[in-house]
Each structure stands twice: as structure tokens, then as C-alpha cells.
Amino acid sequence: MGKGREVAVTVVAAAACAVAGVMVGRRWVRRRKWAKAMGLLREVEEACDAPVGRLKQVVDAMAVEMHAGLASEGGSKLRMLLTFVDSLPNGTEKGTYYALHLGGTYFRILRVQLGGKRSSILSHDMERQAIPEHLMSSRSEDLFDFIASSFKTFVEREGNSSGFPLDQKRELGFTFSFPVKQTSVSSGILIKWTKGFEIEDTVGQDVVKCLERALERKGLVMRVAALVNDTVGTLALSHYHDPDTVASVIFGTGTNACYLERMDAIIKSQGILTASGVMVVNMEWGNFWSSHLPRTHYDIDLDAESPNPNDQGFEKMISGMYLGEIVRRILLRMSQETDVFGPVSPTLSVPFILRTPLMAAMHEDDSLDLSETSKILNDILDIPEVLLNVRKLVVNVCDIVTRRAARLAAAGIVGILKKIGRDGSSGFVSGRSRGEGKMRRTVVAIEGGLYSNYSMFREYLHEAMVELLGEEAAERIELKVTLDGSGIGGALLAASHSRQIVDTAQML
Ligand code: BGC
């Protein structure tokens, strides 16, 4: 071999070695970054872990805080608000009633015709509108004027078709899905906003007066017969159909629960007597807090950057407003600290860009190549084309966040059942099945898209209920979905508190 040829071969060999070296190096770097991403995943998984032992501690904490919140005002982060609803609709309600429901994301208007028998809702019409974002941080008057003018359009459109007597004042239930300190069944002061609303001048005001003034400005003559939380509306509708209903829970943009409590257990109610001896208590469980909750630094950052820091801690781990946002925060950190998603997408830094329904769609993507996940990553988060194992990583993150939420939600429900002696722990209680040694059938009404539309959330919740209660007791607890209960229940409560109803005999 000539010298020149020898040199050329050596150079080619050296170049090949260098290329191979670079490739090996790159592969090594890629592996290291992938290992880092997996490390972050494991870290989140451990921090979100909620084994049954920990859930039992949450159950006990929920029951203890319920007692504390009932004992004194401010005795617990659980507000345990009196609702002044001491009887639930029983079927004697008759006539046409309206409801306005201001929730988290939507505003609904309903007209409900009641037939005077249990479960006889002859018809109901509903209109739903998204709440314009700018109104969530505007002035109080702007928000209530928007509600009133939407309602006016609804009433004007019905013309004579509703059959509503012209000489009669319309009565309505106002379902207001925020924490309110009620002063009667038809009045109450807003304690604070939740779910991203920030309208300072409503806080401390009677929201019924705010609404009535706005209706007057629009020339509408109405009487607000009942002011109710969405949980209370849901309980009312479910109890109307099924008297075994004792509690209700909302899993929507926000989360909350209410239940029927004995008056003598509501120590802070001092002096308030009810004919039935019970009252519905709006727990405002979104604000529940316990050191047993598995909290991560993603939760801590989310809370610190929210308009209501240190508030609604439970809600921020469970509800539809926040699950997608927690996932986004985890993906952002993974993207910043590894390059599994390629260059960091600026869109991934936009708070609340990943809404929970889209996160659920990735979680429940059952295509072999996770094409739906890929599409959402691309369309919503501007993360183009990632490898299949990276898409699987994303699905894993969604799973961890939702599983924790659902398991904590289950612990919350079991906490209520424990407080009212329906968790089966005090032996199998008598009731309808007295003598048969069986536990009494107990219905918990559930409403909200997180539960109704997200099957993985539902499955994890049911699984945890069985782990906590045991198979036999869990079988006696029915979680029953209501549809539009918040609104229809509001109209039902307007009917049962109406001036037009003569026979108000109530049975619980
Ligand atoms: C509110 C509750 C409401 C729940 C569900 C929470 O943010 O504080 O009053 O019931 O959301 O809508």
C-alpha cells in the first residue's frame, strides 16, 4: 500500500470512528435525558401516591374537620355553611318555576314545570351560555346585568307558550356556585370568589340583592324564592326522585359537597330551630385541608400563582379547573430539564392552556400509536411529532394526576359517610332492611363533567371507595348522577319555598 493510500485509509477510519463516537455520544446523551425524564416521572408518582392507608387518614381528617366546622364559625377550613334548607322537595310542588345557575364555566337559565307528584317534572327548558371571560374580573354590576339581560331574553322568547299566568309574579331559584354565608333561605353574603372569579365589589354583598337590582334595571319583576349552592340543588333533585339521597357532590370546574345534618349536631347554629330537626349543610369542601394530602411542589406553585392562594387546597388537587394545569406544569418541567419534547415550546408556559377535557382525551387515547395524544400535543401545546415512548410518558403523567384526584375525592365522600354513620364501620345499621342485618341503602348524588365524562376518573374513584369501605358496604352506597340537578333542583327549591304553595308539608 502506498504511503498516500495508507494516510487516506487512516483518515477515513478516524472519521468513521469520530462519527460513530458522536452517534454513541448522542445516544448516550439521549439516554441520559430520557433517564432524567423517567426520574421526574417517578418523583411525581411518589409525591402523588395515595395508598389506602393514607386515604384512611384523609377520611378521618375529613370527619374531624366536619365536626370542628359545625362546632364554631371559623373552627375549620371546612366552612360547613348553614343553608336554611330544612326540608327537601317531596312532590307536592306544582306550577312553573325558573332557575338561574351561575356556575364556574357556564351560566344556565331554566324553566321547570312541576306536576304536583314525586318525580313529576312535566317539562324543563334550559339555555346555557359560556360566561364571557372578561366578566369574571369585571365589576359586580356588569356580571349581574349580563345575567339579567340573558334572563330577560329567555322570558321574552317564551311569549305565551309557557302558559305562565300574566298576573302572577315569576319565582325563581338562584343557584350560585360559590361560598355564601346565608342569612335566610333566600339571602346570603358572598364570602369569596373561587374558580378564577375576581370581582372585588361583590364580596361581602347579598348576591340576591345584586341579582334583584339587576333584574329591576331590566324591567323584570321576579321574586327570588331560594338562594342555593349547586350541591344543594343537586341534592334536592336527587332526593325528589329518590328519598334515600343523603348527600351530593359536584365534580366540575370546582368541587364541593353538601349533606343532611341533624340540627343538634350543628352546634354553631345556636338557637335556630327547624321543624324537621335537620338542615342541609354546604360543606365547601374545596377548602378542606389536611397534612395527609399528598401535595407536590407543582401544587404549591399553582396555589401561589392563583388569585386565591392558601384557599381551596382540596379543590386545586381534584377539580376540573386544575387537573389539566397540574399536568401542564409537570410537562413544562420535563421539557425544560430534558429534551424529550424537543426545544421548549413557549405555549407550554401559558397557564391553563391545557384544559382538563383535553388532558382526559390524552389519558383515554386508546389508539395504538396514541395519535390523539400526538394531535393534542401538537395543536394545543405546539409540541410537534414526538416519539411513541414520549407520548406514553405524557399519558402516564395524566394518569398519575387523575388517579390522585379521584382517590382523594373518594376519601372525601367516605369521610362524609363516616360522619353520618353510613360507612358501615359501626356495624350494619338497621333501616329499611331492619332485622336483615344489612346496611341501609345510601344514595350520594353526583354532578359535574369530571365525573360524568371522564371514565378513568370515575373508575379510580369507585375503586378507592371499595378499598375504603370494603365490598359489602360499598355495594350499599350508590353514586347516582343527576343531570342539570344544580339548576332543576334550584327551581324545585324555589317551588317548595314559594309563596304560592299552600301545602308545604315536608317529609324527609
Ligand atoms: C365553590 C362551591 C361550589 C363548587 C362546585 C367551588 O369552587 O366554592 O360553592 O359548590 O365550586 O361548583
Short mmCIF file of all heavy atoms in Angstrom, two decimals, residues 325-366:
data_model
loop_
_atom_site.label_atom_id
_atom_site.label_comp_id
_atom_site.label_asym_id
_atom_site.label_seq_id
_atom_site.Cartn_x
_atom_site.Cartn_y
_atom_site.Cartn_z
N GLU A 325 -54.05 21.79 34.32
CA GLU A 325 -53.00 22.76 34.65
C GLU A 325 -51.85 22.07 35.42
O GLU A 325 -50.68 22.39 35.20
CB GLU A 325 -53.62 23.92 35.46
CG GLU A 325 -52.64 24.92 36.05
CD GLU A 325 -51.79 25.68 35.02
OE1 GLU A 325 -52.01 25.53 33.81
OE2 GLU A 325 -50.88 26.40 35.47
N ILE A 326 -52.19 21.13 36.29
CA ILE A 326 -51.12 20.42 37.02
C ILE A 326 -50.28 19.62 36.00
O ILE A 326 -49.05 19.65 36.04
CB ILE A 326 -51.71 19.47 38.10
CG1 ILE A 326 -52.53 20.27 39.12
CG2 ILE A 326 -50.60 18.69 38.81
CD1 ILE A 326 -53.31 19.41 40.11
N VAL A 327 -50.97 18.95 35.08
CA VAL A 327 -50.26 18.18 34.06
C VAL A 327 -49.35 19.11 33.24
O VAL A 327 -48.19 18.79 32.99
CB VAL A 327 -51.27 17.43 33.15
CG1 VAL A 327 -50.58 16.87 31.91
CG2 VAL A 327 -51.96 16.33 33.93
N ARG A 328 -49.88 20.27 32.86
CA ARG A 328 -49.07 21.20 32.07
C ARG A 328 -47.79 21.58 32.81
O ARG A 328 -46.70 21.61 32.23
CB ARG A 328 -49.86 22.49 31.76
CG ARG A 328 -49.05 23.50 30.95
CD ARG A 328 -49.63 24.89 30.98
NE ARG A 328 -49.52 25.56 32.26
CZ ARG A 328 -48.45 26.20 32.70
NH1 ARG A 328 -47.36 26.26 31.98
NH2 ARG A 328 -48.46 26.79 33.91
N ARG A 329 -47.91 21.81 34.10
CA ARG A 329 -46.73 22.21 34.89
C ARG A 329 -45.68 21.09 34.92
O ARG A 329 -44.49 21.35 34.85
CB ARG A 329 -47.16 22.58 36.32
CG ARG A 329 -47.82 23.94 36.37
CD ARG A 329 -48.45 24.26 37.70
NE ARG A 329 -49.02 25.59 37.63
CZ ARG A 329 -48.39 26.70 37.98
NH1 ARG A 329 -47.17 26.64 38.46
NH2 ARG A 329 -48.97 27.87 37.84
N ILE A 330 -46.16 19.85 35.03
CA ILE A 330 -45.22 18.72 35.07
C ILE A 330 -44.52 18.59 33.70
O ILE A 330 -43.30 18.43 33.62
CB ILE A 330 -45.96 17.41 35.44
CG1 ILE A 330 -46.59 17.55 36.84
CG2 ILE A 330 -45.01 16.21 35.39
CD1 ILE A 330 -47.54 16.43 37.23
N LEU A 331 -45.33 18.69 32.62
CA LEU A 331 -44.73 18.56 31.28
C LEU A 331 -43.73 19.68 31.02
O LEU A 331 -42.67 19.47 30.42
CB LEU A 331 -45.83 18.58 30.20
CG LEU A 331 -46.85 17.44 30.25
CD1 LEU A 331 -47.79 17.50 29.05
CD2 LEU A 331 -46.17 16.07 30.29
N LEU A 332 -44.05 20.88 31.52
CA LEU A 332 -43.14 22.02 31.30
C LEU A 332 -41.78 21.73 31.96
O LEU A 332 -40.73 21.93 31.37
CB LEU A 332 -43.76 23.31 31.87
CG LEU A 332 -42.87 24.54 31.81
CD1 LEU A 332 -42.54 24.91 30.36
CD2 LEU A 332 -43.54 25.75 32.49
N ARG A 333 -41.83 21.23 33.19
CA ARG A 333 -40.56 20.95 33.89
C ARG A 333 -39.78 19.86 33.13
O ARG A 333 -38.58 19.97 32.94
CB ARG A 333 -40.86 20.53 35.33
CG ARG A 333 -39.68 20.00 36.04
CD ARG A 333 -39.50 20.52 37.45
NE ARG A 333 -38.28 19.99 38.03
CZ ARG A 333 -38.25 19.13 39.04
NH1 ARG A 333 -39.38 18.75 39.62
NH2 ARG A 333 -37.11 18.67 39.50
N MET A 334 -40.51 18.84 32.69
CA MET A 334 -39.84 17.76 31.93
C MET A 334 -39.20 18.32 30.67
O MET A 334 -38.09 17.96 30.31
CB MET A 334 -40.85 16.68 31.54
CG MET A 334 -41.23 15.80 32.70
SD MET A 334 -42.40 14.55 32.16
CE MET A 334 -42.34 13.44 33.56
N SER A 335 -39.93 19.22 30.04
CA SER A 335 -39.41 19.79 28.80
C SER A 335 -38.18 20.66 29.07
O SER A 335 -37.22 20.65 28.30
CB SER A 335 -40.53 20.62 28.15
OG SER A 335 -40.06 21.22 26.99
N GLN A 336 -38.22 21.39 30.17
CA GLN A 336 -37.09 22.29 30.49
C GLN A 336 -35.85 21.52 30.93
O GLN A 336 -34.73 21.91 30.65
CB GLN A 336 -37.50 23.27 31.60
CG GLN A 336 -38.42 24.36 31.09
CD GLN A 336 -39.08 25.14 32.22
OE1 GLN A 336 -39.19 24.63 33.35
NE2 GLN A 336 -39.52 26.34 31.94
N GLU A 337 -36.06 20.40 31.60
CA GLU A 337 -34.90 19.70 32.18
C GLU A 337 -34.41 18.52 31.36
O GLU A 337 -33.38 17.93 31.68
CB GLU A 337 -35.24 19.26 33.61
CG GLU A 337 -35.51 20.47 34.47
CD GLU A 337 -35.57 20.14 35.94
OE1 GLU A 337 -35.24 19.00 36.32
OE2 GLU A 337 -35.95 21.04 36.70
N THR A 338 -35.14 18.16 30.33
CA THR A 338 -34.69 17.09 29.43
C THR A 338 -35.09 17.60 28.05
O THR A 338 -35.80 18.60 27.96
CB THR A 338 -35.47 15.79 29.69
OG1 THR A 338 -36.77 15.91 29.12
CG2 THR A 338 -35.61 15.49 31.16
N ASP A 339 -34.68 16.96 26.98
CA ASP A 339 -35.19 17.48 25.71
C ASP A 339 -36.17 16.50 25.06
O ASP A 339 -36.28 16.43 23.86
CB ASP A 339 -34.05 17.85 24.76
CG ASP A 339 -33.29 16.61 24.34
OD1 ASP A 339 -33.57 15.53 24.90
OD2 ASP A 339 -32.43 16.73 23.45
N VAL A 340 -36.89 15.74 25.91
CA VAL A 340 -37.78 14.72 25.33
C VAL A 340 -38.86 15.32 24.43
O VAL A 340 -39.39 14.64 23.57
CB VAL A 340 -38.43 13.83 26.42
CG1 VAL A 340 -37.42 12.90 27.05
CG2 VAL A 340 -39.16 14.63 27.44
N PHE A 341 -39.17 16.58 24.64
CA PHE A 341 -40.19 17.20 23.77
C PHE A 341 -39.56 18.10 22.71
O PHE A 341 -40.24 18.92 22.11
CB PHE A 341 -41.16 18.04 24.61
CG PHE A 341 -41.95 17.24 25.61
CD1 PHE A 341 -41.75 17.39 26.97
CD2 PHE A 341 -42.89 16.31 25.18
CE1 PHE A 341 -42.46 16.65 27.89
CE2 PHE A 341 -43.61 15.56 26.10
CZ PHE A 341 -43.39 15.73 27.45
N GLY A 342 -38.26 18.00 22.53
CA GLY A 342 -37.57 18.90 21.60
C GLY A 342 -37.41 20.26 22.27
O GLY A 342 -37.52 20.37 23.51
N PRO A 343 -37.16 21.32 21.48
CA PRO A 343 -36.98 22.64 22.08
C PRO A 343 -38.23 23.03 22.89
O PRO A 343 -39.35 22.70 22.48
CB PRO A 343 -36.83 23.58 20.87
CG PRO A 343 -36.67 22.69 19.69
CD PRO A 343 -37.13 21.32 20.02
N VAL A 344 -38.02 23.73 24.01
CA VAL A 344 -39.17 24.04 24.89
C VAL A 344 -40.18 24.91 24.14
O VAL A 344 -39.84 25.98 23.64
CB VAL A 344 -38.70 24.78 26.16
CG1 VAL A 344 -39.89 25.09 27.07
CG2 VAL A 344 -37.66 23.97 26.89
N SER A 345 -41.42 24.43 24.07
CA SER A 345 -42.45 25.20 23.36
C SER A 345 -42.93 26.35 24.25
O SER A 345 -43.33 26.12 25.40
CB SER A 345 -43.64 24.28 23.06
OG SER A 345 -44.83 25.01 23.02
N PRO A 346 -42.88 27.61 23.74
CA PRO A 346 -43.34 28.73 24.57
C PRO A 346 -44.80 28.56 25.01
O PRO A 346 -45.18 28.99 26.09
CB PRO A 346 -43.19 29.94 23.65
CG PRO A 346 -42.32 29.50 22.52
CD PRO A 346 -42.41 28.02 22.42
N THR A 347 -45.59 27.86 24.19
CA THR A 347 -47.02 27.67 24.54
C THR A 347 -47.17 26.85 25.82
O THR A 347 -48.14 27.03 26.56
CB THR A 347 -47.74 26.94 23.38
OG1 THR A 347 -47.32 27.54 22.17
CG2 THR A 347 -49.23 27.03 23.51
N LEU A 348 -46.21 25.96 26.05
CA LEU A 348 -46.28 25.12 27.24
C LEU A 348 -46.16 25.95 28.52
O LEU A 348 -46.51 25.49 29.61
CB LEU A 348 -45.15 24.07 27.15
CG LEU A 348 -45.18 22.86 28.06
CD1 LEU A 348 -46.52 22.15 28.02
CD2 LEU A 348 -44.06 21.89 27.69
N SER A 349 -45.70 27.18 28.38
CA SER A 349 -45.57 28.05 29.56
C SER A 349 -46.84 28.86 29.82
O SER A 349 -46.89 29.63 30.78
CB SER A 349 -44.42 29.04 29.37
OG SER A 349 -43.25 28.34 29.16
N VAL A 350 -47.85 28.71 28.96
CA VAL A 350 -49.07 29.52 29.15
C VAL A 350 -49.98 28.86 30.18
O VAL A 350 -50.47 27.73 29.95
CB VAL A 350 -49.82 29.70 27.80
CG1 VAL A 350 -51.10 30.49 28.00
CG2 VAL A 350 -48.92 30.33 26.76
N PRO A 351 -50.24 29.52 31.32
CA PRO A 351 -51.09 28.90 32.35
C PRO A 351 -52.47 28.52 31.79
O PRO A 351 -53.04 29.27 30.99
CB PRO A 351 -51.21 29.99 33.41
CG PRO A 351 -50.05 30.88 33.19
CD PRO A 351 -49.74 30.83 31.72
N PHE A 352 -52.97 27.40 32.22
CA PHE A 352 -54.32 26.91 31.91
C PHE A 352 -54.56 26.65 30.42
O PHE A 352 -55.70 26.50 30.01
CB PHE A 352 -55.40 27.85 32.49
CG PHE A 352 -55.39 27.83 33.99
CD1 PHE A 352 -54.67 28.78 34.70
CD2 PHE A 352 -56.04 26.83 34.70
CE1 PHE A 352 -54.62 28.76 36.09
CE2 PHE A 352 -56.00 26.79 36.09
CZ PHE A 352 -55.30 27.75 36.79
N ILE A 353 -53.47 26.57 29.63
CA ILE A 353 -53.66 26.31 28.19
C ILE A 353 -54.15 24.88 27.96
O ILE A 353 -54.88 24.60 27.01
CB ILE A 353 -52.33 26.57 27.41
CG1 ILE A 353 -52.57 26.52 25.89
CG2 ILE A 353 -51.25 25.59 27.74
CD1 ILE A 353 -53.01 27.80 25.33
N LEU A 354 -53.77 23.95 28.86
CA LEU A 354 -54.21 22.56 28.70
C LEU A 354 -55.45 22.33 29.56
O LEU A 354 -55.36 22.12 30.76
CB LEU A 354 -53.08 21.59 29.11
CG LEU A 354 -53.44 20.10 28.97
CD1 LEU A 354 -53.73 19.74 27.52
CD2 LEU A 354 -52.31 19.22 29.50
N ARG A 355 -56.60 22.40 28.90
CA ARG A 355 -57.84 22.24 29.67
C ARG A 355 -58.05 20.75 30.01
O ARG A 355 -57.61 19.87 29.27
CB ARG A 355 -59.02 22.82 28.89
CG ARG A 355 -58.94 24.36 28.81
CD ARG A 355 -60.00 24.98 27.94
NE ARG A 355 -61.29 24.36 28.17
CZ ARG A 355 -61.90 23.58 27.28
NH1 ARG A 355 -61.35 23.34 26.12
NH2 ARG A 355 -63.07 23.05 27.55
N THR A 356 -58.74 20.52 31.13
CA THR A 356 -58.89 19.14 31.61
C THR A 356 -59.56 18.20 30.59
O THR A 356 -59.12 17.06 30.46
CB THR A 356 -59.59 19.14 32.97
OG1 THR A 356 -58.76 19.90 33.86
CG2 THR A 356 -59.76 17.74 33.53
N PRO A 357 -60.59 18.63 29.84
CA PRO A 357 -61.17 17.68 28.87
C PRO A 357 -60.14 17.20 27.84
O PRO A 357 -60.17 16.04 27.42
CB PRO A 357 -62.26 18.52 28.18
CG PRO A 357 -62.63 19.56 29.19
CD PRO A 357 -61.37 19.88 29.94
N LEU A 358 -59.19 18.07 27.48
CA LEU A 358 -58.16 17.65 26.51
C LEU A 358 -57.16 16.71 27.17
O LEU A 358 -56.69 15.74 26.58
CB LEU A 358 -57.45 18.87 25.93
CG LEU A 358 -58.34 19.71 25.03
CD1 LEU A 358 -57.67 21.00 24.65
CD2 LEU A 358 -58.69 18.90 23.77
N MET A 359 -56.86 17.01 28.42
CA MET A 359 -55.97 16.12 29.15
C MET A 359 -56.63 14.73 29.28
O MET A 359 -55.99 13.70 29.11
CB MET A 359 -55.73 16.73 30.53
CG MET A 359 -55.07 15.82 31.48
SD MET A 359 -55.85 16.06 33.08
CE MET A 359 -55.42 14.58 33.87
N ALA A 360 -57.95 14.72 29.54
CA ALA A 360 -58.68 13.45 29.66
C ALA A 360 -58.65 12.71 28.32
O ALA A 360 -58.52 11.48 28.28
CB ALA A 360 -60.11 13.72 30.08
N ALA A 361 -58.74 13.47 27.22
CA ALA A 361 -58.72 12.82 25.90
C ALA A 361 -57.36 12.15 25.67
O ALA A 361 -57.31 11.06 25.09
CB ALA A 361 -58.99 13.86 24.82
N MET A 362 -56.28 12.74 26.16
CA MET A 362 -54.96 12.10 26.01
C MET A 362 -54.90 10.85 26.90
O MET A 362 -54.44 9.80 26.49
CB MET A 362 -53.84 13.07 26.40
CG MET A 362 -53.75 14.27 25.48
SD MET A 362 -52.15 15.09 25.55
CE MET A 362 -52.22 15.92 27.12
N HIS A 363 -55.40 11.01 28.11
CA HIS A 363 -55.38 9.90 29.08
C HIS A 363 -56.15 8.69 28.53
O HIS A 363 -55.77 7.55 28.74
CB HIS A 363 -56.00 10.40 30.39
CG HIS A 363 -55.85 9.47 31.54
ND1 HIS A 363 -56.52 9.65 32.71
CD2 HIS A 363 -55.12 8.34 31.72
CE1 HIS A 363 -56.20 8.69 33.55
NE2 HIS A 363 -55.35 7.88 32.97
N GLU A 364 -57.26 8.97 27.85
CA GLU A 364 -58.13 7.88 27.40
C GLU A 364 -57.91 7.54 25.93
O GLU A 364 -58.74 6.85 25.33
CB GLU A 364 -59.59 8.27 27.67
CG GLU A 364 -59.82 8.44 29.17
CD GLU A 364 -61.27 8.67 29.58
OE1 GLU A 364 -62.06 9.18 28.76
OE2 GLU A 364 -61.59 8.34 30.71
N ASP A 365 -56.81 8.02 25.39
CA ASP A 365 -56.47 7.72 24.00
C ASP A 365 -56.17 6.23 23.86
O ASP A 365 -55.19 5.73 24.39
CB ASP A 365 -55.22 8.55 23.64
CG ASP A 365 -54.82 8.39 22.19
OD1 ASP A 365 -55.48 7.61 21.49
OD2 ASP A 365 -53.86 9.06 21.77
N ASP A 366 -57.06 5.51 23.14
CA ASP A 366 -56.81 4.06 23.05
C ASP A 366 -56.28 3.65 21.68
O ASP A 366 -56.27 2.46 21.35
CB ASP A 366 -58.07 3.27 23.45
CG ASP A 366 -59.27 3.69 22.63
OD1 ASP A 366 -59.09 4.48 21.67
OD2 ASP A 366 -60.39 3.23 22.94
#
